[in-house]
Amino acid sequence: MLNKRNRLKTNSSFKATYCQNRVVSDEFFVLFAGKNKPDCNYEPKIGFVVSKKTDKRAVVRNKIKRRMRESFRIYLKEKEIPYMSLILTAKENAKNINFEITLKSVYRLMDKMANKFIQEYY
């Protein structure tokens, strides 16, 4: 379970993250990155979004969110990232994948985001 201190909670936080226009994606997920603060001692915050376009059933949407949450938690255990706000959004074909593919995809997106914004990231 992902700690509450790592969750993006307010609507204004989501809007501020979306407004930064820092986006990386692959075939299953889209990762939006907000401002990062390398000198800050806080942990990164992330929000998870799965729309009804992905699947009409809440059970399926929640399953996708649980997998994304667990993948990010494992990533945080292994690698350290500075404080920043992130939003991970699932695409329509994310409902057909298993946990291992979700984990690889989250790792790929986080590494891609780090490389894309390398001068701001470290």
Side-chain angles (χ1 to χ4, degrees):
M1 186 65 133
L2 191 63
N3 290 330
K4 286 189 177 184
R5 66 178 179 263
N6 293 113
R7 293 187 189 173
L8 211 57
K9 296 175 186 170
T10 61
N11 191 22
S12 60
S13 299
F14 275 86
K15 285 182 181 178
T17 305
Y18 282 130
C19 287
Q20 292 300 314
N21 291 328
R22 296 165 53 173
V23 182
V24 292
S25 65
D26 66 359
E27 57 191 293
F28 303 113
F29 302 104
V30 179
L31 180 67
F32 295 89
K35 287 186 177 178
N36 56 326
K37 301 175 185 175
D39 59 338
C40 192
N41 291 331
Y42 298 113
E43 295 183 28
K45 293 185 179 272
I46 187 164
F48 302 96
V49 178
V50 182
S51 71
K52 283 191 177 179
K53 279 185 178 180
T54 305
D55 198 292
K56 298 290 183 197
R57 297 169 293 173
V59 173
V60 175
R61 293 194 308 270
N62 290 336
K63 185 177 183 181
I64 295 168
K65 279 192 256 188
R66 280 194 307 271
R67 287 178 176 172
M68 292 189 311
R69 210 176 288 128
E70 182 64 16
S71 298
F72 185 74
R73 187 189 67 79
I74 292 170
Y75 184 85
L76 275 183
K77 272 185 156 181
E78 291 184 13
K79 299 187 180 182
E80 183 150 339
I81 59 174
Y83 173 78
M84 64 186 333
S85 57
L86 303 164
I87 299 174
L88 188 61
T89 305
K91 291 184 177 180
E92 284 187 41
N93 56 355
K95 67 181 178 182
N96 300 324
I97 61 174
N98 59 13
F99 179 71
E100 289 79 23
I101 297 173
T102 303
L103 185 65
K104 287 179 186 176
S105 182
V106 168
Y107 268 74
R108 192 176 328 119
L109 284 176
M110 292 298 292
D111 292 339
K112 190 190 254 188
M113 187 263 312
N115 291 335
K116 190 172 182 180
F117 307 113
I118 191 84
Q119 67 274 9
E120 304 168 23
Y121 192 68
Y122 292 108

